Amino acid sequence: MLSEKMTEALNQQINKEFYSAYLYLEMANYYADESLDGFQNWFNVQAKEEMAHAMLFVNYLLDHSCHVNLEAIAKPGQTYNDYKAPLEASLKHEKEITASINNLYELSVQDNDYRTRQILDWFIREQYEEEVNAQNLIDRYEIFGEDKHALWEMNQDLLARTFVEPTIA
Ligand code: MG
């Protein structure tokens, strides 16, 4: 059985994952406006992943007969002045999500909640990947972003990303 505190914390995490999806959709739309369809695609896939993360937590709560409390999703409302800005904002955001997952992990340790800890192990690894991916995009943009032809190549590369439904093994 999950503690009340853990149930509340997981509900808050669900909201953060949906907010992440919203934030990445906004970034995707920014790149769409700039005719960078590869960057748009990359962030649309990112948004889908975040929705899937939210659903993993939703289903986890439902499996334990815990109430899923869907709160309002905050408005991202960001404006971006150049192509690099969303990339930097996404790394910053992922670091915040990592901190949030770490807090959940800490709570699972306090609660002796071994099962939730096992689920969170997956999210700890996922956040490692998310931060590496976000940093990687910044690094590539710094090398190729200023050159129009190289930027186009990078855009084409990002166009190839496809969504794979995440499963907790
Ligand atoms: Mg996530």
Side-chain angles (χ1 to χ4, degrees), residues 39 83 139-148 150-151 154:
F39 286 74
Y83 302 157
D139 293 346
R140 287 170 71 193
Y141 183 81
E142 282 175 350
I143 297 167
F144 304 116
E146 299 305 317
D147 178 89
K148 286 270 188 291
L151 179 64
M154 183 176 170

Side-chain angles (χ1 to χ4, degrees), residues 13 17 20 49-50 53 94 97 123 126-127 130:
Q13 190 63 35
E17 300 292 346
S20 300
E49 273 196 4
E50 300 305 342
H53 293 164
E94 286 305 331
I97 295 296
F123 278 94
E126 175 66 16
Q127 283 312 117
E130 296 281 32

